[in-house]
Amino acid sequence: MTESTTPDHTRTQDRIRDAFASAGVTGWLHARDVDADGQVDVGADHAVVTASVHKLCLLVALHREADAGRLDLTEQTVVPPGDRTPGPTGLAAMLDEVRLSLRDAAHLMMTVSDNTSADLLLARVGLDAVNDTTRRLGLTRTRAVQTFREFLTTIREDVGPTGPQALADPRVIARLRAVDPARTSHSTPRDMTRLLSAIWRDEAGTPEHCAAMRRVLGLQVWPHRLASGFPFDDVHVAGKTGSAPTVRNEVGVVEYPDGGRYAVGVFTRAASPAATLPAADAVIGTAARIAVDALRSPGAGAGAP
């Protein structure tokens, strides 16, 4: 799809591209008014690595499976202490046996991006169901190709015997399957805002299930990316981050007290391989704010359909 060439939309695109460049990243963005036609497109159809953003697709598939009666969200599962998918949060970081429901595993998966919980749910739902869900919702360029354990395993294998310190070498980064959308789970910014809009409009499932998904998305704990662009007590941001070496993403919905609702997907690749790049995190919020401000301005709605 082609981008709008109206002067206001072009200026918005230029401001977003300038923000990405100043932060030392290449970025792709799509933002849409959930309830109207306005859109902002900066490479919205570019194939991107989703990383943990794909947990949003799994969340939707989980709720659709529950709605179809194929599973019960209150179903209990026991997670033994050994052989958990690695990660710094949630069950992945815990030392003892844990018993919890599927919906509480989904809570950990979405709020702190727990990899063990995500793979627990994937084992229950299946990759095929995740891909069937996104296909049925019209996300034609979105596909899950591996578990989160497999995603992390490719990084370890591609880094080689030197270990994590090798990720400081751009040549090592360049060979990682985990940062190549052709070889890992992937989507586009436009597909992700379409999915978010479906959740917020009760089109991704029943109103009850969509409300449950909106609730858990609103409980994510990370304030340093999308939410950083909207530091207001009366503006609510619900989202899901995703990360990999040089990759920093977030998708979410920004809700204003006047009822305005805006779905935003921002995906970036940093030029630096450094694991800590505050500017690269913050520009996700900056770019989203520029896009949402443009959508809220008088006469908004000139973006590409």
Side-chain angles (χ1 to χ4, degrees):
M1 297 185 184
T2 59
E3 296 177 349
S4 167
T5 56
T6 61
D8 286 347
H9 192 238
T10 299
R11 282 193 292 270
T12 297
Q13 292 171 320
D14 289 343
R15 289 183 63 203
I16 292 169
R17 292 188 179 109
D18 287 346
F20 285 147
S22 295
V25 306
T26 302
W28 305 272
L29 173 147
H30 190 249
R32 70 171 80 209
D33 189 322
V34 171
D35 304 298
D37 293 332
Q39 301 188 40
V40 175
D41 173 346
V42 179
D45 298 307
H46 184 85
V48 292
V49 169
T50 45
S52 284
V53 164
H54 227 100
K55 291 169 183 172
L56 174 60
C57 303
L58 173 54
L59 178 71
V60 178
L62 175 74
H63 277 271
R64 288 169 72 95
E65 291 291 289
D67 185 50
R70 289 186 283 270
L71 58 80
D72 182 346
L73 291 174
T74 66
E75 175 186 317
Q76 299 288 303
T77 186
V78 175
V79 186
D83 196 32
R84 295 179 182 175
T85 303
T89 60
L91 299 180
M94 295 180 186
L95 301 177
D96 299 316
E97 180 177 281
V98 176
R99 181 183 181 90
L100 78 171
S101 65
L102 296 181
R103 64 183 174 185
D104 282 346
H107 176 275
L108 290 174
M109 173 180 74
M110 300 305 292
T111 60
V112 297
S113 205
D114 176 30
N115 291 328
T116 295
S117 291
D119 276 345
L120 181 158
L121 295 173
L122 262 180
R124 187 68 178 80
V125 172
L127 282 172
D128 288 345
V130 175
N131 288 324
D132 183 64
T133 292
T134 53
R135 179 183 60 80
R136 288 178 181 275
L137 291 173
L139 280 62
T140 60
R141 301 185 65 185
T142 298
R143 186 164 182 80
V145 304
Q146 59 201 161
T147 68
F148 293 94
R149 180 189 293 271
E150 290 166 345
F151 175 78
L152 295 170
T153 297
T154 68
I155 296 176
R156 187 171 63 251
E157 291 175 347
D158 293 345
V159 164
T162 306
Q165 59 267 33
L167 292 173
D169 186 343
R171 293 170 298 180
V172 173
I173 298 288
R175 69 176 183 239
L176 298 181
R177 285 168 282 174
V179 300
D180 179 358
R183 296 188 291 170
T184 189
S185 298
H186 54 269
S187 185
T188 67
R190 194 188 304 275
D191 265 12
M192 286 294 99
T193 62
R194 181 170 188 166
L195 180 58
L196 289 164
S197 295
I199 296 170
W200 258 254
R201 293 197 299 253
D202 292 340
E203 296 170 356
T206 65
E208 177 185 4
H209 282 286
C210 285
M213 289 186 274
R214 293 193 294 269
R215 172 186 173 274
V216 75
L217 280 161
L219 297 175
Q220 182 184 231
V221 302
W222 315 125
H224 60 310
R225 291 184 182 171
L226 186 60
S228 69
F230 304 90
F232 312 110
D233 290 343
D234 58 352
V235 175
H236 183 249
V237 178
K240 182 69 197 78
T241 59
S243 305
T246 70
V247 171
R248 292 167 178 82
N249 308 324
E250 187 161 0
V251 303
V253 171
V254 182
E255 298 180 89
Y256 279 75
D258 63 4
R261 309 187 297 178
Y262 309 91
V264 187
V266 187
F267 295 80
T268 72
R269 286 288 306 272
S272 168
T276 303
L277 287 173
D281 289 314
V283 76
I284 291 174
T286 300
R289 176 68 181 279
I290 293 169
V292 170
D293 282 351
L295 291 174
R296 289 177 61 79
S297 66

